[in-house]
Amino acid sequence: MSTYGYPKNNGGNSNQQGWKKDGWKNKGGGGGGGFKKREEGPAVFYKPYVITGNADTPADVLEKFRELALKLESMGFIARTSAFEGPDQIVDKVLQIKEIHLPWSPFNERESKLSFSSKNSLEIAEAFHPSFSGLKPGVQKFLSKNVRMALGNNLKSPALFLVCYSQDGAETAAEKSIKTGNIGHLIAVCSAIPIPIFNFGKPDAEQRLMNYLSGSLNPLNKTNGSPSSSFTTEPQSTGNNHGYIDF
């Protein structure tokens, strides 16, 4: 298993202490010289962001999201998205490296290990919905999925930013309207953390995002050489050789 911000373990073992199960061997000297030094891979910052939108996202915005997702992947960012119609499915199709967060698995013919709604994620989701307790369990899991997208599967790794689309361009809970659609709950969660939101329903969202990625607001551009607190390491299982999630 590879983990973000940590050296890779030998041979893909999941032992988080980083030594092989057979690392301690009695070689007869009584001095215990059998501990094997693990091989170290490069440290990789975990740079997650959320990209999503409603099913009515216009074709030109979908194309922008496709190009943006590919560009961010080349810069080492990890997309968090789902399997909903619209931007989510576009991003899932074009990216090699991504996290697919689902309310349950399989969903929309897509499977993912990131589909469990913990008690904590449900409690956070409830804080952003006025009648959560009266919702059906399936709907509650939909909202819990939003929390996991915003905070990470372990709820300890907030996304660096949210890229989304709604007709009204809402970027705060106060701006939400009936035209915000299904992403309204996610916007409320992210704005409360706070996570920067770039809703392409606003004409200037793309330019503000570019300014964020290249300017002083971007944690990557801090001059002190240390990562922002947003760069939390989140150990995850991985099915590839990149040390990234690909579920």
Side-chain angles (χ1 to χ4, degrees):
M1 179 183 75
S2 301
T3 59
Y4 294 103
Y6 290 98
K8 296 180 180 179
N9 292 336
N10 286 329
N13 289 332
S14 59
N15 188 307
Q16 293 187 358
Q17 280 70 41
W19 50 275
K20 291 185 176 181
K21 293 180 180 179
D22 61 348
W24 291 102
K25 293 184 178 180
N26 185 354
K27 297 192 175 181
F35 185 77
K36 293 184 177 180
K37 182 179 179 181
R38 67 178 178 178
E39 297 176 6
E40 293 188 354
V44 179
F45 283 131
Y46 178 45
K47 301 184 293 185
Y49 74 100
V50 181
I51 182 166
T52 187
N54 293 318
D56 63 354
T57 301
D60 62 321
V61 177
L62 290 177
E63 178 59 21
K64 287 182 179 179
F65 280 16
R66 185 189 72 82
E67 295 176 356
L68 175 63
L70 288 170
K71 177 63 175 178
L72 289 172
E73 181 179 57
S74 72
M75 297 168 63
F77 287 91
I78 309 297
R80 290 177 183 163
T81 191
S82 71
F84 289 85
E85 295 181 10
D88 304 61
Q89 291 185 339
I90 294 292
V91 170
D92 185 14
K93 177 181 285 188
V94 302
L95 294 184
Q96 297 296 316
I97 302 167
K98 66 259 184 170
E99 293 178 14
I100 305 299
H101 290 262
L102 304 178
W104 56 81
S105 185
F107 176 81
N108 272 3
E109 301 182 352
R110 185 67 162 90
E111 295 185 356
S112 173
K113 296 177 182 178
L114 304 178
S115 59
F116 175 70
S117 294
S118 67
K119 179 181 178 181
N120 287 341
S121 67
L122 289 166
E123 289 178 350
I124 296 172
E126 182 176 11
F128 295 93
H129 196 285
S131 56
F132 187 86
S133 61
L135 300 176
K136 294 181 178 180
V139 179
Q140 292 180 351
K141 290 180 179 180
F142 271 90
L143 301 181
S144 171
K145 176 267 303 175
N146 293 334
V147 174
R148 290 186 278 109
M149 289 175 71
L151 291 175
N153 199 48
N154 63 7
L155 308 183
K156 296 179 181 179
S157 302
L160 295 175
F161 54 92
L162 164 64
V163 176
C164 61
Y165 173 84
S166 66
Q167 289 184 18
D168 58 4
E171 294 182 342
T172 67
E175 292 178 346
K176 286 170 48 182
S177 71
I178 191 171
K179 293 185 177 181
T180 311
N182 292 332
I183 65 172
H185 182 263
L186 175 61
I187 288 173
V189 173
C190 288
S191 62
I193 290 172
I195 291 171
I197 299 173
F198 303 94
N199 189 328
F200 277 52
K202 276 187 165 66
D204 65 341
E206 184 175 7
Q207 185 58 54
R208 286 188 290 112
L209 175 59
M210 295 303 104
N211 293 343
Y212 172 82
L213 291 173
S214 62
S216 60
L217 290 177
N218 183 356
L220 286 174
N221 292 329
K222 299 296 184 182
T223 58
N224 60 10
S226 62
S228 154
S229 59
S230 295
F231 288 97
T232 337
T233 54
E234 178 172 310
Q236 298 277 9
S237 59
T238 176
N240 56 37
N241 294 322
H242 305 289
Y244 296 112
I245 293 174
D246 184 9
F247 289 125

